[in-house]
Amino acid sequence: MKSLIVGLGNIGLRHIQGLSKLNEKKNDFYIFDNSIDYLSRFKNEIDDLKNKNNLIFTKNLEKIKNINFDLTIISTNADTRVKLLQIILDKINTEFILLEKPICNSLEDLNILQKISSKKIFINFPRRYCEWHLKIGKKIKRDYSNEILNVLLTKKDLGIACNISHYVDLINMWTDCYPVSVNNSNLNDWKNSKRKGFYEIDGRIQVFFQNNHKLELESDIKHNGLKINIFNQLNKKICLIDYNKGIAKFTDGEIIYGKMKYQSETTAELYKILINKRQNCISDLNLAVRCYDKILNSFIEHWNEKNNSEYKQIMIT
């Protein structure tokens, strides 16, 4: 197997570790990254991977344009992701492209993504192919398809800007509906994120979907582990999903146990989904853009209101 990893940060490394478990033969991993920081940051991990795989480092995509890749993963910061995607589509032969999220952080890049017609681009939302969440989603679709879902997700340091895409996609997975509006009035001021030059935000945000479904995310120090409470239109609880306990407890008495696996444990499964054409288990680019459009516009609007500015980009990643 030949894979191209564009951006070797923590996520890029986990993808390589996951793909290396696909078979006993050596895999070829071509790694494109303009920084050499990873050579020291991940020295032990890279040395371990070299024992079982061929790692080829490059800073020039022109030199590998004649190679046929099975999979390309773009795991850079969000501000360069779309530009690199355009270069990959233009210069690299690859069967599938996997984008990390947020898929972009500017209105210009969002507009570019809306115009891309390629059918080989997919977005990595692990809940789409997590066995635990597949069971939860199957029950919701089977037993609560006639309900209007009001979903409240709470956690300390949730990372709303970075992670909201996961949960918007989750509601789409359960309902097949897309966001129609966003209420950002209860978000806090923007703050520096852990990654230099980027920002994050706490507080509460509401996302309203077609058919009156609603998602609320609250990031506050009063919350501990990640919990998802699902209510119906009469505010009657349907389910509590507790990530720390690995339990989804429905009020009808059914309990579904499970957990979210690490990326290094799931990328191989993700690739199998792609090659076996099980695209219903993964979000394509068009779906992801439709889910993200209102979210990005709301974040930029909120930034401009807080900072008395007129930017069309917000530095989230």
Side-chain angles (χ1 to χ4, degrees), residues 107-166:
L107 298 182
E108 179 182 357
D109 282 352
L110 184 67
N111 184 55
I112 291 170
L113 291 177
Q114 289 170 335
K115 295 177 180 179
I116 292 177
S117 59
S118 174
K119 301 298 183 184
K120 63 183 179 181
I121 305 170
F122 299 90
I123 315 303
N124 182 34
F125 292 120
R127 287 165 184 80
R128 285 269 174 180
Y129 52 91
C130 167
E131 182 180 357
W132 185 36
H133 266 287
L134 287 173
K135 292 177 180 178
I136 296 170
K138 183 178 180 180
K139 177 170 177 60
I140 291 173
K141 282 179 170 285
R142 184 187 69 221
D143 296 343
Y144 301 100
S145 60
N146 293 324
E147 303 279 8
I148 295 174
L149 301 183
N150 292 318
V151 180
L152 174 61
L153 190 146
T154 58
K155 186 179 182 292
K156 176 184 176 181
D157 295 326
L158 177 59
I160 290 177
C162 175
N163 293 314
I164 190 171
S165 298
H166 287 282

Side-chain angles (χ1 to χ4, degrees), residues 136 140 144 147-153 170-171 174 214 227-232 235-241 248-251:
I136 296 170
I140 291 173
Y144 301 100
E147 303 279 8
I148 295 174
L149 301 183
N150 292 318
V151 180
L152 174 61
L153 190 146
L170 186 62
I171 304 304
W174 289 345
K214 182 175 70 174
K227 293 180 181 178
I228 301 177
N229 281 282
I230 308 172
F231 304 89
N232 68 7
N235 207 34
K236 180 180 178 181
K237 182 175 282 191
I238 292 174
C239 179
L240 167 64
I241 305 172
K249 188 174 183 179
F250 288 83
T251 51

Side-chain angles (χ1 to χ4, degrees), residues 75-116:
S75 52
T76 60
N77 292 334
D79 56 325
T80 61
R81 205 162 282 156
V82 173
K83 180 179 180 181
L84 286 164
L85 174 62
Q86 290 178 293
I87 295 172
I88 297 297
L89 288 170
D90 182 54
K91 296 183 180 295
I92 300 298
N93 298 313
T94 184
E95 186 172 3
F96 300 108
I97 298 173
L98 186 70
L99 274 183
E100 280 296 339
K101 63 278 136 195
I103 52 176
C104 64
N105 63 14
S106 75
L107 298 182
E108 179 182 357
D109 282 352
L110 184 67
N111 184 55
I112 291 170
L113 291 177
Q114 289 170 335
K115 295 177 180 179
I116 292 177

Side-chain angles (χ1 to χ4, degrees), residues 9 22 29 49 132 150 157 180 190 239 300:
L22 270 173
F29 292 108
L49 285 165
W132 185 36
N150 292 318
D157 295 326
V180 294
W190 291 89
C239 179
I300 292 175

Side-chain angles (χ1 to χ4, degrees), residues 18-232:
L19 290 171
S20 67
K21 300 172 184 177
L22 270 173
N23 53 59
E24 295 181 359
K25 297 179 181 179
K26 282 194 172 185
N27 298 291
D28 293 334
F29 292 108
Y30 289 76
I31 299 168
F32 173 79
D33 199 311
N34 285 324
S35 172
I36 60 171
D37 290 347
Y38 57 79
L39 292 176
S40 56
R41 286 176 59 200
F42 304 129
K43 183 180 184 304
N44 293 336
E45 292 89 343
I46 289 173
D47 288 344
D48 183 61
L49 285 165
K50 283 181 178 179
N51 292 328
K52 308 169 186 176
N53 307 276
N54 297 315
L55 271 61
I56 303 98
F57 299 92
T58 181
K59 291 186 178 181
N60 188 347
L61 292 175
E62 285 285 341
K63 293 183 178 181
I64 57 173
K65 66 180 182 179
N66 294 323
I67 298 173
N68 293 317
F69 291 102
D70 299 292
L71 175 65
T72 294
I73 299 176
I74 302 178
S75 52
T76 60
N77 292 334
D79 56 325
T80 61
R81 205 162 282 156
V82 173
K83 180 179 180 181
L84 286 164
L85 174 62
Q86 290 178 293
I87 295 172
I88 297 297
L89 288 170
D90 182 54
K91 296 183 180 295
I92 300 298
N93 298 313
T94 184
E95 186 172 3
F96 300 108
I97 298 173
L98 186 70
L99 274 183
E100 280 296 339
K101 63 278 136 195
I103 52 176
C104 64
N105 63 14
S106 75
L107 298 182
E108 179 182 357
D109 282 352
L110 184 67
N111 184 55
I112 291 170
L113 291 177
Q114 289 170 335
K115 295 177 180 179
I116 292 177
S117 59
S118 174
K119 301 298 183 184
K120 63 183 179 181
I121 305 170
F122 299 90
I123 315 303
N124 182 34
F125 292 120
R127 287 165 184 80
R128 285 269 174 180
Y129 52 91
C130 167
E131 182 180 357
W132 185 36
H133 266 287
L134 287 173
K135 292 177 180 178
I136 296 170
K138 183 178 180 180
K139 177 170 177 60
I140 291 173
K141 282 179 170 285
R142 184 187 69 221
D143 296 343
Y144 301 100
S145 60
N146 293 324
E147 303 279 8
I148 295 174
L149 301 183
N150 292 318
V151 180
L152 174 61
L153 190 146
T154 58
K155 186 179 182 292
K156 176 184 176 181
D157 295 326
L158 177 59
I160 290 177
C162 175
N163 293 314
I164 190 171
S165 298
H166 287 282
Y167 307 111
V168 171
D169 183 77
L170 186 62
I171 304 304
N172 175 269
M173 175 180 165
W174 289 345
T175 67
D176 298 318
C177 293
Y178 293 90
V180 294
S181 64
V182 178
N183 177 5
N184 60 30
S185 62
N186 292 308
L187 287 175
N188 298 344
D189 292 335
W190 291 89
K191 63 181 184 179
N192 292 324
S193 73
K194 294 178 182 178
R195 189 166 298 182
K196 186 177 180 180
F198 293 92
Y199 296 89
E200 194 42 85
I201 198 163
D202 297 311
R204 180 181 284 232
I205 187 170
Q206 297 175 312
V207 184
F208 301 93
F209 288 73
Q210 298 164 323
N211 296 338
N212 297 315
H213 301 295
K214 182 175 70 174
L215 168 67
E216 293 187 61
L217 285 79
E218 183 173 84
S219 178
D220 193 285
I221 58 173
K222 67 184 179 183
H223 302 300
N224 292 316
L226 177 60
K227 293 180 181 178
I228 301 177
N229 281 282
I230 308 172
F231 304 89
N232 68 7

